Amino acid sequence: MRDLGSGSVSRRRELLAVSYVWIGRCFAARRQVVTILRAITVTPGKGGSARLEEVPEPSPSDGAVLVHTLALGVCGTDREIVSGCYGTAPHGEARLILGHESFGRVVAAPPDSGLAPGDLVVGIVRRPDPVPCAACAAGEWDMCRNGRYTERGIKARHGYRSERFRVEPDFVVKIDPALKDLGVLLEPASILAKAWEQTGRIGHRSRSWRPQTLLVTGAGPIGLLAAMMGVERGLDVHVCDRHEGGTKPALVGELGGTYHPEPVADLIAHLAPDVIMECTAAPALIRDILGRTAPTGIVCLTGVSHSGHVLDVDVSRINRTLVLDNQVVFGTVNANRRHYELAADALAHADRKWLAGLITRRVPLEHWSEALEHSPDDVKVVVEFPQI
Ligand SMILES: [Zn+2]
């Protein structure tokens, strides 16, 4: 890999290499085209090591579907990997190609894959563990029991943040072409498709379950997509966040929801939500929502907190209300293929103007490092790749 620096504007180049192959007692020379791509890479565990560099064309062993990258979403997980807190390089390699929120156009695909050149697609992030555990064997790698799964751009597999990537046909999902580059929202939407599926399955433990009120905590991309899917389910949607102005209140209003900048503890007392989608991972906020739903209410935790926050919590109160009101608190992470397909359907039926408002910054590949800087009014930041 050759470092191009964060501000490089060099174009993709094709280099002609000559390799010499020993065949029996003779040398035979043959010409081989080695394509060099640009990719954003990092040395996991080493903060400040991210850079744009040249990498070879992805190996066919990565998958039979070749995709030209059009855009990639940036999220908190990417920032954690870049800061050195998270991420693992593939076995035997020092660096990891970043990127798990993919979006691209198919360049080549096997005839029996259901894909054709020109299709807009997104690659699935997680791969089942090699054992596999019972969940992975059933295609539910998002529920992996032994933790030996791998993830593109996060855990032991190169990500999608290069100019072209390869992916296995079973791990690529087609996007409604009318969505165009809004397809980059599919991966985060898949997280919420799973969260809502699981919430529904828990809710229907009672034949009388008819949720009416949803509270979403956090108006980032995950929170706003949770709210969008709540509106699609006909719920009275409320979103709580710290920002009093800017993009986020406007997006909630355009959705038909109600935005609340006040502390959740004040809000929840009179709201009595049937469902809470917690999308901040803020420890004090989580403390304030546990045991605070309406009877039979469900709290879905989607964020990942750092350990080490010790708070005073009245566990007796939480236990008492959870038991006496049949409340449920559960966590959810990642998504399997079914969830990606549910999310693709949800995006296809959503208001495209509203979805476009979620992408608050678009950064060209040459300025990729700016995409990793977080601005308070950012919702979703996208790195755009050169078109072909
Ligand atoms: Zn597994």
Side-chain angles (χ1 to χ4, degrees):
M1 294 178 176
R2 192 171 77 84
D3 183 9
L4 294 172
S6 62
S8 173
V9 293
S10 68
R11 293 185 301 112
R12 185 183 65 241
R13 295 176 300 161
E14 293 199 340
L15 301 178
L16 193 65
V18 180
S19 63
Y20 295 92
V21 181
W22 174 257
I23 304 174
R25 294 179 179 177
C26 305
F27 281 106
R30 63 186 173 89
R31 292 200 314 166
Q32 182 181 2
V33 174
V34 179
T35 307
I36 301 299
L37 307 174
R38 290 177 297 172
I40 303 169
T41 71
V42 64
T43 300
K46 188 177 175 186
S49 63
R51 63 186 185 225
L52 185 67
E53 62 182 328
E54 291 179 339
V55 298
E57 184 77 22
S59 165
S61 64
D62 287 352
V65 181
L66 179 63
V67 180
H68 175 86
T69 303
L70 296 173
L72 286 159
V74 175
C75 78
T77 302
D78 294 309
R79 294 189 185 95
E80 285 195 342
I81 295 171
V82 168
S83 71
C85 299
Y86 200 55
T88 313
H91 181 70
E93 298 188 39
R95 293 186 71 80
L96 171 73
I97 296 177
L98 272 174
H100 59 279
E101 296 186 9
S102 64
F103 172 66
R105 182 181 292 120
V106 172
V107 175
D112 59 352
S113 65
L115 298 165
D119 284 346
L120 298 179
V121 294
V122 164
I124 290 174
V125 176
R126 191 175 283 191
R127 298 293 180 278
D129 77 76
V131 176
C133 73
C136 287
E140 296 194 332
W141 49 78
D142 55 310
M143 306 289 262
C144 181
R145 299 290 302 275
N146 63 27
R148 293 175 62 188
Y149 58 81
T150 55
E151 291 176 329
R152 298 282 305 245
I154 301 173
K155 185 170 182 273
R157 273 182 191 266
H158 284 310
Y160 296 119
R161 205 159 291 165
S162 58
E163 289 179 288
R164 278 195 292 279
F165 63 82
R166 282 188 172 273
V167 60
E168 313 90 319
D170 288 344
F171 290 88
V172 63
V173 179
K174 206 169 0 180
I175 297 290
D176 180 343
L179 280 170
K180 298 181 181 173
D181 65 350
L182 298 176
V184 77
L185 298 170
L186 182 62
E187 194 280 335
S190 73
I191 305 299
L192 280 313
K194 176 183 174 183
W196 274 111
E197 179 199 67
Q198 300 288 308
T199 299
R201 290 183 178 187
I202 293 167
H204 286 297
R205 70 204 153 127
S206 165
R207 285 177 294 174
S208 64
W209 192 60
R210 300 284 186 277
Q212 294 184 335
T213 305
L214 165 69
L215 173 62
V216 176
T217 52
I222 295 293
L224 289 168
L225 287 167
M228 182 195 85
M229 293 183 189
V231 169
E232 287 178 348
R233 284 162 172 77
L235 299 177
D236 176 20
V237 174
H238 298 258
V239 179
C240 178
D241 197 289
R242 291 173 297 181
H243 296 94
E244 298 210 16
T247 307
K248 294 174 179 177
L251 283 166
V252 174
E254 289 165 20
L255 200 56
T258 307
Y259 186 86
H260 302 270
E262 65 261 40
V264 73
D266 300 340
L267 172 66
I268 208 165
H270 64 84
L271 202 58
D274 298 298
V275 176
I276 300 178
M277 288 275 175
E278 204 300 299
C279 306
T280 69
L285 188 151
I286 293 167
R287 174 197 58 195
D288 291 342
I289 64 173
L290 293 179
R292 300 284 193 193
T293 66
T296 74
I298 299 168
V299 176
C300 173
L301 303 174
T302 69
V304 181
S305 312
H306 291 286
S307 57
H309 293 270
V310 179
L311 301 169
D312 286 331
V313 178
D314 184 350
V315 176
S316 298
R317 177 195 64 79
I318 294 170
N319 178 70
R320 180 180 176 82
T321 51
L322 289 182
V323 171
L324 294 179
D325 286 345
N326 289 290
Q327 295 183 21
V328 174
V329 179
F330 80 101
T332 181
V333 70
N334 202 254
N336 65 43
R337 187 178 181 93
R338 180 176 73 248
H339 305 127
Y340 277 80
E341 289 171 348
L342 288 169
D345 189 55
L347 292 183
H349 289 90
D351 180 338
R352 283 178 202 132
K353 183 170 173 288
W354 185 83
L355 286 177
L358 295 183
I359 301 176
T360 45
R361 264 197 305 142
R362 297 168 187 270
V363 177
L365 178 61
E366 290 76 14
H367 300 290
W368 61 274
S369 59
E370 295 172 14
L372 293 164
E373 296 162 5
H374 186 64
S375 158
D377 210 30
D378 279 341
V379 178
K380 175 56 66 183
V381 179
V382 166
V383 178
E384 293 186 316
F385 281 63
Q387 303 277 325
I388 51 172

